[in-house]
Amino acid sequence: SVITTIIIVFSVLLTSSMAGYGFAKFNFPGKNIMFFLVLSSLMIPFQVKMIPLYQMAQKMKIIDTYTGVVFPWLFDAMGVFLMNQFMATLPNELIEDARIDGASEIGIFFRIILPQMGSSLSALAIFTFSWSWEEFLWPLIVTNSDKARTLPVGLQYFSEQYGVNIHWQMAGAFVAILPVLIMFFLLQKQFVEGIALTGMKS
């Protein structure tokens, strides 16, 4: 769970911030249509995508691997939306001044844009960490052995094996939820600020 969650969180933060920056600060043909398609993917239930994703995992031979567990979650449409909302509040003059000074687009993004996004990235990191840590259905489907199973799946097998020992199950549930609580308390201030900022209009 630690490995897969770290991979998912890092990937979502990177792809969402870059996509949000592109949609908010660049004009290109089909921009509105592409953004609409990204957001429309939020309306498709995971149960609809589950079988095609499993077939893709089979063809790529990543069943029962860490790659198989994380690959559907490396990009998040909600993360793109949140980052786009925040990027819209950043002044365009900041980017234009950097371009006049000769900064490259990659340099502008990593040296100017990302440092301004601490609160929003913290909020997105907490959201992503929480749901990826607790994700149950997909890891249950795509894993066959203990080597790739995540903690929620392990708890399910644990409860089936030791169902009469309620105190053991409660201890396991506490261990499972503890990292989420720790992350929230560590980033609580940034989380609240991020939610407020992403709700602002430019």
Side-chain angles (χ1 to χ4, degrees):
S1 288
V2 173
I3 295 173
T4 57
T5 300
I6 290 175
I7 294 173
I8 292 172
V9 170
F10 179 80
S11 177
V12 167
L13 292 181
L14 181 62
T15 57
S16 296
S17 58
M18 295 183 74
Y21 176 57
F23 282 122
K25 297 303 182 182
F26 290 89
N27 292 315
F28 51 88
K31 169 184 171 180
N32 293 331
I33 296 176
M34 290 180 63
F35 190 65
F36 173 78
L37 291 175
V38 170
L39 295 184
S40 64
S41 66
L42 294 172
M43 296 183 289
I44 304 175
F46 178 73
Q47 289 79 1
V48 175
K49 302 181 288 184
M50 188 168 57
I51 294 177
L53 286 171
Y54 186 81
Q55 292 174 337
M56 291 174 59
Q58 277 187 320
K59 292 180 179 179
M60 292 188 291
K61 299 180 179 180
I62 55 176
I63 298 294
D64 201 33
T65 64
Y66 291 153
T67 304
V69 173
V70 304
F71 95 95
W73 317 115
L74 297 179
F75 179 83
D76 181 45
M78 180 56 71
V80 175
F81 174 74
L82 290 176
M83 292 298 101
N84 178 76
Q85 289 293 99
F86 177 77
M87 295 288 184
T89 67
L90 295 179
N92 293 328
E93 291 77 10
L94 187 67
I95 301 173
E96 293 172 358
D97 289 344
R99 288 172 179 163
I100 292 175
D101 290 339
S104 64
E105 296 298 334
I106 297 295
I108 292 173
F109 176 76
F110 284 102
R111 297 174 60 184
I112 298 177
I113 300 300
L114 279 186
Q116 305 287 330
M117 299 173 59
S119 298
S120 295
L121 289 175
S122 297
L124 181 58
I126 292 176
F127 281 134
T128 306
F129 184 92
S130 178
W131 66 253
S132 61
W133 182 265
E134 299 171 356
E135 175 61 30
F136 174 79
L137 182 58
W138 176 251
L140 176 66
I141 294 172
V142 81
T143 57
N144 301 320
S145 64
D146 291 341
K147 68 176 183 179
R149 286 188 179 126
T150 56
L151 188 57
V153 180
L155 284 176
Q156 175 63 29
Y157 283 95
F158 182 82
S159 64
E160 292 176 358
Q161 187 174 1
Y162 302 101
V164 295
N165 297 303
I166 303 300
H167 55 291
W168 288 6
Q169 295 185 48
M170 293 299 293
F174 176 76
V175 170
I177 199 174
L178 187 60
V180 179
L181 293 176
I182 292 174
M183 185 172 186
F184 176 75
F185 285 121
L186 289 177
L187 299 177
Q188 185 176 10
K189 180 180 178 181
Q190 293 86 345
F191 174 75
V192 175
E193 292 177 353
I195 293 299
L197 287 172
T198 51
M200 293 174 59
K201 295 188 178 293
S202 58

